[in-house]
Amino acid sequence: MATFLYKLGRLSFRRRHFVALIWVALLTLAGVGAASAPAAGNSSFSIPGTEAQKAFDLLEQRFPGTSADGATARVVFKAPSGEKMTDPGNKATVQDTVKELSDGSEVVRVTDPYQAKAVSKDGTIAYAQVSYKVSGMELDDAAKDALKDSAQDARKAGLTVEIGGDALQAVPHTGSSEVIGIAVAAVVLVITFGSLVAAGLPLLTALIGVGIGVSAITGLASALDLGTTTSTLAMMIGLAVGIDYALFIVSRYRAELAEGREREEAAGRAVGTAGSAVVFAGLTVVIALVGLSVVNIPMLTKMGIAAAGTVAIAVLIALTMIPALLGYAGRKVKPMGEKGKLLGRAKKPAPTEKPNLGTRWASFVVRRPLAVLLLGVIGLGAAAVPATSLELGLPDDGSQPTSTTQRRAYDLLSEGFGPGFNGPLMVVVDAKNSDDPKAVFTETGDEIKGLKDVVTVTPAQPNKAGDTATITVIPDSKPSSVTTENLVHGIRDAGADIKADTDASVLVTGSTAMNIDVSEKLNDALVPYLILVVGLAFLLLIVVFRSILVPLKAALGFLLSVMAALGAVVAVFQWGWLSGLMGVEQTGPVMSMMPIFMVGVVFGLAMDYEVFLVTRMREAYVQGEKPAQAVVTGFRHGARVVTAAAVIMMAVFAGFIGSSESMVKMIGFGLAIAVFFDAFIVRMAIVPAVLALLGRKAWWLPKWLDRALPNVDVEGEALRSDSTRGDEDRELVRA
């Protein structure tokens, strides 16, 4: 591989005009495609194989034209102090509002609170429910404005009016902090390279790669039903790995220049050595992201594949466009050890220059490996403790900031009708195969009334054919509580008995039941996903490092990182520690997909640092250095660059903490803290400590396996052999 990439690097350096033209053309083509593509609607959310999804599909079939996936809004009214919603004046105001809401072209129906008995027992709170033909993301701005205006008119009459539901759903924004993350990355690159030109290359190529990836996603969003979160995730990961991959190749290029090589030769060797590490690091990230498809949640699968595509683009750009741009930069990119005019006059380092910080740190770890190992493991273990209290769920209006009308409507409904009113359960009874459907509907309602934690059970509402009915159940507890989860399972258990007696199916659906099913599905998929992703990456790392213990140590270190990161997520988003600093206005359960998503993404990113740092160590070991000295050599060449890469990745991820969408905010924080734990504790402390303790055993590989494995030559042995032969030939010519 090293030889092929070496030739690719030299070719890209020589044919830089052609390479640059190709990437600019791809960016232009993707941009035109994104601009001309139809606007994407709201991404559909389906969970194949779950009972809640089966019930939803049955409703679409048996109750046609009801717009089951359409947006809903609950307009909640509260009477002034000392008044009732049943007072004539307040009643007239509500009925005028209902009439005004009914005029919308996208409105299917509006319920009158007084006819639907949607007035609280104390008479102070009432609500009207508005159902629309289309989803919240597809709803016209005119319909949203009409909804807001009707509420404002009622407020002028003296009522407190808030609007809940998904009708006011808005496209999330990431805020200016994303730009701050890129600015921090630029500063770190300038400090690392001491040159604006060298620092600008990784930023430029990363932005081009992300531009192509995100534009392609935008262009295909409507056709492939991709949500807004898909492009946000692709941008987040694409920026981080794009900058890092380019950073490693530029750094190796400067090191090759420092050894006296010509610029084209240095570019070829940089791509042949550091580029090999980039390829395998990218492969681990792609494996982890594509592996999300085993969960069988379409939204998660699409997010993973889209992000993996952006990572693949970042790898290709690093291997081709970076050497091309290095050709354009010429002598403006200085050899390693020389500073540009930005940070001082260019000069070569003195021969007696003291060891850098990476060398001094690695020497310390090699002298005290056991102490460093214990300290790192204990520290990460302490950070992981909050993960034992992990509670999973999906966000609803109760997790919104208290400043939003959705959250205030949620609180008013809880006050007037009980906490369970915000999470009603819809029970679908399929009595098509039953002899007496009406009797089955009545029996089902009676069974549910006898269960614990049930406040209200509405009469069955059959369809026109009379073979299917819906029953609404209001729990006594809030939607995200364990009690409500137990009630869902209780209804399903009762439904199993009814099916045995009457051959009728009883299914539970609704947003609350869907959240419960999603959490269970993700929990069940976590272990198979871990086995698949870690297993494939383990085999890949055996090929890269030609060792058994090094990949095993890498996998165990990753588990420490991800558990500590999950602990931090629980502490901030569930317990509320530092929530104000992170902009978390409302604590609650961690999103159901967060653990499995973090496992996938963090594993891929963790292996990046493992590959970049340890390949340098193996390179030194293969050249004849002792194991301990090889660790120090690896840090001397790689620690500064890995540190810069980690800081950049943290800055990019942390930039998404400013997002208005709780999912993106949580992902940004979780990935940023995970990179910190993995890069600075696992890879910088635990890894060298373990390698120092293992010595030569770290690089042991059974002879039969050594013969069976392909030789990918990540260390660039073939390049060194060619160089040695070339030097010998030149010496003969001189003689």
Side-chain angles (χ1 to χ4, degrees), residues 210-397:
V210 167
I212 294 173
V214 172
S215 297
I217 292 170
T218 303
L220 297 172
S222 178
L224 301 181
D225 191 27
L226 303 177
T228 54
T229 308
T230 304
S231 58
T232 303
L233 174 66
M235 182 188 301
M236 184 190 302
I237 296 178
L239 271 177
V241 301
I243 294 173
D244 279 7
Y245 294 165
L247 167 64
F248 280 102
I249 293 179
V250 173
S251 298
R252 188 59 184 255
Y253 170 77
R254 296 177 71 231
E256 296 292 337
L257 288 179
E259 293 182 8
R261 293 188 171 86
E262 295 296 327
R263 296 188 178 274
E264 182 179 328
E265 177 70 10
R269 288 179 173 272
V271 176
T273 51
S276 297
V278 165
V279 169
F280 283 99
L283 276 175
T284 59
V285 179
V286 169
I287 287 172
L289 291 170
V290 173
L292 291 170
S293 58
V294 303
V295 183
N296 196 27
I297 295 180
M299 184 185 76
L300 200 58
T301 300
K302 293 171 186 176
M303 289 171 61
I305 293 176
T310 308
V311 171
I313 293 172
V315 171
L316 293 174
I317 282 187
L319 297 178
T320 56
M321 195 168 187
I322 281 294
L325 293 179
L326 288 172
Y328 284 118
R331 298 186 180 278
K332 292 180 181 179
V333 178
K334 305 292 182 182
M336 185 77 74
E338 291 190 23
K339 294 182 179 180
K341 294 181 180 180
L342 182 68
L343 297 181
R345 296 183 64 183
K347 62 178 182 178
K348 292 185 178 180
T352 58
E353 186 179 14
K354 67 178 183 179
N356 60 23
L357 181 59
T359 303
R360 298 197 299 274
W361 168 251
S363 300
F364 169 77
V365 174
V366 168
R367 290 195 304 269
R368 301 283 188 273
L370 188 59
V372 172
L373 176 62
L374 290 176
L375 188 61
V377 172
I378 292 172
L380 290 177
V385 168
T388 59
S389 302
L390 178 67
E391 296 178 8
L392 298 177
L394 288 178
D396 55 18
D397 285 349

Side-chain angles (χ1 to χ4, degrees), residues 12 107 131 163 188 193 195 215 223 232 318 330 381 407-408 593 606 640:
S12 299
V107 175
S131 300
I163 304 172
V188 173
F193 292 132
S195 165
S215 297
T232 303
R407 172 59 190 278
R408 292 196 293 265
M593 65 180 63
R640 178 182 175 89

